[in-house]
Structures are given as structure tokens and as C-alpha cells.
Amino acid sequence: MTLKFTSLFSEIQILSQHTDIVRHLIRIDARRCCSAGDDGLAIVWDVETGSLLHILRGHSRPITCICQIPYSVDDSVRNFLLTASSDRLVCMWDVETGSLLRKFTEQNSTTKCIVSLSQGFGLFCLAGEKLCLWSVEDGLLDMISADTPDDIQFLLSLKDDMLIAAADTQIAFYKFSLTEDPRLRLLKRVEFHRESVRSLVKLSDSSFASGSLDGAVLMWSASDQAVIRQFNVIDDYQGQLRTYPFSVQYMLPLSERFLLCAHGCGLAIYDVESSSAQILTQNDLHIGKLLHLELLCRGRLLATCSEDSNIRLWHCSTSTLASNEKHCDEQSDDFLKCLEHFTNSGEVGRTLLLELVGECQAHSAAVQMCLDVPPHRFLSCGVDHTVILWKNRIVESCRRHRMVRDALFRLDLLEDLPVED
């Protein structure tokens, strides 16, 4: 297989301020991103220059989750940063100044996930041992116990003031209200998965998907509070030595129709609207299990992050089987458009392909996740305590040539100026 873009992101910048595993990356705006990890630090970076802007120090234990919330200040909307930690604190930060604005302590337990609620500025929900509804302006609005042996690990916000929570093998449906008491109310708790839920993602305003350690992927209706489809149900799912080779580590939804799932060391793509749901399965994309999926370069490439310390880049295409020879007959610069073309064509014998077009090797241990920084860069973080800024070598070379050209042009202009006596 030819690696067409092996060195596309060959220019890197090591951002090495963390002293422990870096697990979280979040994009603040077009120029800034934030990383957070087990050292209790959240660090704001300028992704244009790779320079450090702020170190947010407020936690004494690992940061478990990070989230942005919009809030109205002086008739303008600004985004503030929330960080939660196993030290039982939730901190609110001003990313413009790096200052700590507020600490939330009433939950008195470790927060595992935070969601910003679209129903109002400064409104958010924390989950862990408890489920807490917060307003930046009015404080704690309501708090209820998760009432499960295990903490809530994942939380989603859907339309009609619905919250979806996952704790171990259970999926719970909650309703929240800003005007009625109680403000948080459990509607239903369902135990459908055989093993613990490892990923929970929103598909649309009324549906979501959950993936678990046994490899099963379930599609749910929020209004019916029930499973409407099941994908990848495997009988012998534990494997040798209970390694769970088909476990779901991460899911990436695309356009409310497609669902990309990291199963073990491979990838499956599901069309959630089709009767023949599974449109692609590739089992050995990496040596180690996949931990994260991300679309890069404005949706042109799929990046897979793995325990084997590598990031691989994949291009999507279709092929037909004719005269016993497989040849590529359709390519798209856009990953989503390629999936749509494949599923809409209905042509017999057409197959979907993932072509390996690049490999990014700079981490020395498992890569926890990566984050697209459009249009020509991305960030990654890992167990090796580092954040790496990957740059498109062609774009960077052109930028440097332009800078040199402009500098020489200005120098020529200075030399042509008349010299006064």
C-alpha cells in the first residue's frame, strides 16, 4: 500500500508543560485550545504559534472532564471554561485572563462529566455519584443521587429538556425543568447492555447511541426511552484472557446518519437509517486498541489514535469488483460525501474502502485523543505527558517562503530609497 501523505504532518511542535498523563483536549476558538490531565493542570495554548497562554492551577488531583459554557457578561456572550477533578472541585475559569472565577463544591463528590445546556446561558449539569443542575447566576438549582452502584460516566443533553446518563450497564433518562419542582426527575432506568457502557453519543435531537465493553452498539429513541436498533451483538465477546477484543472505546457520529465506532483494534461504520446497517468493518487498523477518532483537514481524512502510540490517517473511497480485479472507481475529498455516495448508489458489487495515507509517529506511549485545528493543523495528547501540535509541512513551507519573500521585498525598497546628505 502506498503512503501518499506519509509526511503531510511531518512538522511538529512539542508542548511539554504537563507532568502526567494528558487526557483531554478542547477547542476554545479558532486560535486557542486547552489541554488537561492527571497532573491537575489545564493549560491554554495558542495553536498558531504553539505558545503557552495560561496555566490554570486550581486542582490537587487529576482532571476528569472539561467543558465550555456560554455566559452573558456586560451585554455580550463569553465562553468560560469548567474543569472537574477527583478532588471533588469544579472550577470556573476566565480563558481570557486565566483567572479562577469560582469553585463549585456543593456536589461533594467526584464529577465524571459536564454538559452545557442550550436552554440558557450559564446553565450546565454535572454528573458522577450525583446529578446536579447548576446556573452560574443562581447557583445550585437541584441535586439528586444517581442511585446506582457505579458513578455516572457519560451524560448527554437532548431536546425537550432530556438528559441521558450512563452508569456501568445502565442507561437512565432524566427530565429537568427551570420552573417546576423537583427540577431534576428520573423518568426511567434501563439495563440493556451486558457489559459497562464505554461511549455515549448524540445522533439527533431525539436519538442517541451507546457502545459497551462487549462490542455491542445500541441505538435509542429518547421519546420512547427504548432501544430501536442493535449493532454488532457478539456471543463470544470476552476473548482469550478476557481481553474484550471487540470493545467499543469511542464513537463518532456524522450527519445524524452514520456512526463510526472504534471496536478493539479496528473500525466499523454503521448507517443507522439503513436495514443493512454495517457498511464497513476493518479489524486491524492498529496493533493496539483504538482510543479516539477525529476528522481532519475539513473532513477529508480520518485520524485514528491508538494504544500503540501511533496516529494513522485514512482516506475514504469506493471500488467495484469487475473481471475478478478490484479497482478504485470513485474517490471523494470529503469523508462524509464518500459515505453518502456509497450508500445512495445501491450498486451491486460496490465496496467501501479505507486507504492508509499517512502515519504520525512522535508519541512514546498511548495516544489518548487528537483534536482538529482547521484548516491545516491538529493536536494530540497522550500517556507520555505531552501535547503535540502537528503542522502541514507544505502549508508551513509556503508560509515561510512568503515571509522571506516579503522581508526581501521590504529590504529592496529600503535600498532604493534616496540617501540624504
Side-chain angles (χ1 to χ4, degrees), residues 21-304:
I21 298 172
V22 187
R23 300 185 186 274
H24 311 283
L25 294 170
I26 188 172
R27 191 177 174 193
I28 296 172
D29 53 33
R31 192 178 178 92
R32 295 174 298 175
C33 292
C34 183
S35 60
D38 288 2
D39 55 6
L41 300 179
I43 301 178
V44 181
W45 306 94
D46 185 324
V47 292
E48 286 293 322
T49 64
S51 59
L52 185 153
L53 298 178
H54 307 292
I55 298 180
L56 311 181
R57 303 179 188 271
H59 294 290
S60 59
R61 294 185 60 82
I63 291 177
T64 53
C65 55
I66 187 169
C67 178
Q68 273 199 107
I69 58 166
Y71 185 55
S72 180
V73 178
D74 298 329
D75 297 326
S76 64
V77 178
R78 291 172 56 187
N79 284 323
F80 293 97
L81 203 62
L82 291 177
T83 57
S85 167
S86 53
D87 62 7
R88 301 187 173 190
L89 292 178
V90 175
C91 295
M92 179 177 173
W93 306 89
D94 185 340
V95 294
E96 302 298 331
T97 63
S99 58
L100 176 60
L101 301 177
R102 184 173 178 183
K103 289 185 178 182
F104 303 91
T105 60
E106 286 87 340
Q107 66 277 2
N108 196 32
S109 60
T110 298
T111 297
K112 300 295 180 66
C113 42
I114 308 174
V115 293
S116 176
L117 303 178
S118 59
Q119 285 75 4
F121 290 129
L123 191 66
F124 60 96
C125 196
L126 312 177
E129 180 184 327
K130 302 165 185 173
L131 189 65
C132 305
L133 181 63
W134 280 92
S135 167
V136 172
E137 190 170 316
D138 300 322
L140 181 63
L141 301 179
D142 199 5
M143 178 170 60
I144 60 175
S145 172
D147 198 24
T148 56
D150 297 271
D151 290 353
I152 294 173
Q153 300 291 331
F154 304 98
L155 189 66
L156 292 179
S157 172
L158 300 182
K159 73 172 185 178
D160 298 327
D161 299 336
M162 182 81 74
L163 291 169
I164 312 297
D168 194 28
T169 59
Q170 297 182 350
I171 300 293
F173 299 80
Y174 294 89
K175 195 86 169 179
F176 72 90
S177 171
L178 299 180
T179 57
E180 301 175 1
D181 286 324
R183 305 217 172 155
L184 284 171
R185 180 165 51 96
L186 175 65
L187 300 178
K188 186 177 183 180
R189 184 178 284 117
V190 182
E191 191 163 356
F192 209 98
H193 283 280
R194 296 174 294 184
E195 296 287 345
S196 60
V197 174
R198 293 300 181 90
S199 184
L200 189 71
V201 295
K202 177 180 176 180
L203 296 175
S204 68
D205 286 338
S206 58
S207 64
F208 64 96
S210 58
S212 55
L213 184 62
D214 60 353
V217 177
L218 307 180
M219 181 178 173
W220 300 76
S221 167
S223 56
D224 297 334
Q225 300 164 27
V227 175
I228 52 179
R229 301 197 68 180
Q230 299 182 52
F231 311 129
N232 200 50
V233 178
I234 301 170
D235 293 329
D236 184 20
Y237 61 84
Q238 291 187 348
Q240 296 181 351
L241 304 176
R242 293 175 64 88
T243 56
Y244 298 94
F246 310 103
S247 62
V248 176
Q249 286 82 234
Y250 191 81
M251 298 192 295
L252 177 66
L254 296 179
S255 185
E256 299 187 4
R257 179 175 179 182
F258 301 104
L259 185 63
L260 281 62
C261 294
H263 285 288
C265 301
L267 175 75
I269 301 179
Y270 303 101
D271 180 355
V272 299
E273 295 180 356
S274 170
S275 56
S276 54
Q278 193 161 323
I279 60 176
L280 174 75
T281 303
Q282 288 193 212
N283 293 324
D284 299 310
L285 299 185
H286 284 263
I287 298 174
K289 288 187 176 182
L290 273 66
L291 300 179
H292 190 83
L293 307 171
E294 183 84 358
L295 288 180
L296 305 178
C297 302
R298 294 188 173 130
R300 293 183 177 89
L301 298 177
L302 174 68
T304 54

Side-chain angles (χ1 to χ4, degrees), residues 349-370:
R350 184 180 290 270
T351 58
L352 188 68
L353 301 174
L354 281 185
E355 181 185 6
L356 179 62
V357 295
E359 192 162 22
C360 301
Q361 298 176 316
H363 285 282
S364 60
V367 183
Q368 291 293 305
M369 68 173 293
C370 64

